[in-house]
Amino acid sequence: MSDTYLLICALILGVVEGLTEFLPVSSTGHLILAGQLLGFNDDKGKVFEIVIQFAAILAVVWEYRVRLTHTLVSITKERASQRLATNLIIAFLPSAILGFLFLKQIKAYLFNPTVVASAFIIGGLLILWAERRQHTIHAETIDDMTWQDALKVGFAQALAMIPGTSRSGATIIGGLFFGLSRLAAAEFSFFLAIPTMFAATLYDVYKHRDLFNANDLSLFAVGSVVSFISAFLAVRGLIRFISRHDFTVFAWYRIAFGILVLGSAQLGWIDWNDH
């Protein structure tokens, strides 16, 4: 591949990662599809995904920098800050423990077109159900959440280890089922992404440390900047969107994407097992 083509790939994949990481649509599924179509799915491509995912996390940190800074500064004095920090730790633990125990087996046995497509479609159907059922909301904002709410959302997030589920999708749908408002579910999903994705990124960096190459810095820089900007816009856009709409559009998108996964695998267009 020429340097110019690689930079174009970095640009496209950075946009894909940034736009899909925090929406309930599964960034992994979209990156597999885009990487295969671009022919950028080798070891270099996988390392590149680690870098642009980290950039997407930084976008959330930047967007909520005031609240995060206030929480850190006031954690010894303010009950709200202590509650948020405690809830994030509690919600992080299920994924951390289950991931440590079962991640290798999950990647070995569940990364196949049927599982990925099923997760997309089932997730879409769950969103439709969550939006059409009677809503009983007891937590309008993340400050209203209890530790029990956080634990339930944490177990919902753990389901995202199943390929195609979507981390943000699992936490948002779980939040809706467990009595969180759309705003609380989305914002807690964003906050919970910070420790979860930082831990996953650090693990992936260590695991693939031999694949990092200084010659790829320009590639990483382009992808990271684009991923950061796209993720920043996606987070802000989702908050504005759910102030006037529900998540139904994402449900239908997931169902359509699941059908695309099955079709592309059946026709041999995409190798969904190779990731």
Side-chain angles (χ1 to χ4, degrees), residues 19-244:
L19 290 181
T20 60
E21 184 62 57
F22 301 105
L23 301 181
V25 295
S26 177
S27 61
T28 300
H30 287 77
L31 285 173
I32 292 174
L33 179 64
Q36 291 270 355
L37 293 176
L38 293 169
F40 191 51
N41 57 341
D42 55 4
D43 287 339
K44 185 193 292 285
K46 292 174 183 177
V47 170
F48 178 75
E49 287 182 18
I50 298 171
V51 174
I52 59 176
Q53 178 178 274
F54 182 74
I57 307 171
L58 294 181
V60 172
V61 174
W62 178 255
E63 171 65 7
Y64 288 99
R65 62 192 181 281
V66 174
R67 177 65 189 269
L68 290 171
T69 301
H70 179 79
T71 298
L72 290 173
V73 170
S74 63
I75 196 167
T76 59
K77 299 176 291 185
E78 291 189 9
R79 181 62 186 140
S81 297
Q82 294 168 359
R83 185 185 302 115
L84 177 59
T86 301
N87 284 346
L88 288 175
I89 293 171
I90 290 171
F92 169 72
L93 287 176
S95 289
I97 295 171
L98 294 174
F100 177 78
L101 294 174
F102 302 113
L103 188 59
K104 287 184 179 179
Q105 293 90 329
I106 288 171
K107 287 192 172 183
Y109 297 108
L110 296 184
F111 244 114
N112 61 72
T114 301
V115 172
V116 173
S118 298
F120 268 107
I121 294 170
I122 292 171
L125 294 174
L126 286 174
I127 293 176
L128 291 177
W129 182 23
E131 288 292 4
R132 293 178 181 181
R133 65 197 283 268
Q134 182 70 34
H135 279 232
T136 302
I137 297 173
H138 69 263
E140 288 287 350
T141 70
I142 57 175
D143 291 327
D144 300 324
M145 291 177 61
T146 65
W147 71 265
Q148 293 95 331
D149 294 326
L151 183 61
K152 292 174 185 176
V153 173
F155 276 109
Q157 177 178 251
L159 293 173
M161 288 186 289
I162 300 172
T165 300
S166 166
R167 189 209 60 81
S168 58
T171 53
I172 290 173
I173 297 169
L176 294 179
F177 275 110
F178 301 139
L180 276 60
S181 69
R182 293 188 186 94
L183 177 62
E187 289 200 328
F188 192 71
S189 174
F190 298 154
F191 278 100
L192 185 54
I194 297 172
T196 302
M197 293 172 62
F198 262 121
T201 300
L202 288 174
Y203 171 76
D204 282 336
V205 167
Y206 174 77
K207 181 180 177 182
H208 300 287
R209 61 191 181 279
D210 295 335
L211 298 177
F212 284 86
N213 192 318
N215 295 328
D216 296 326
L217 286 177
S218 59
L219 196 68
F220 294 160
V222 170
S224 295
V225 170
V226 175
S227 177
F228 179 95
I229 294 172
S230 301
F232 178 79
L233 294 175
V235 168
R236 284 203 167 182
L238 183 61
I239 294 299
R240 291 196 190 97
F241 179 84
I242 62 176
S243 67
R244 299 184 296 274

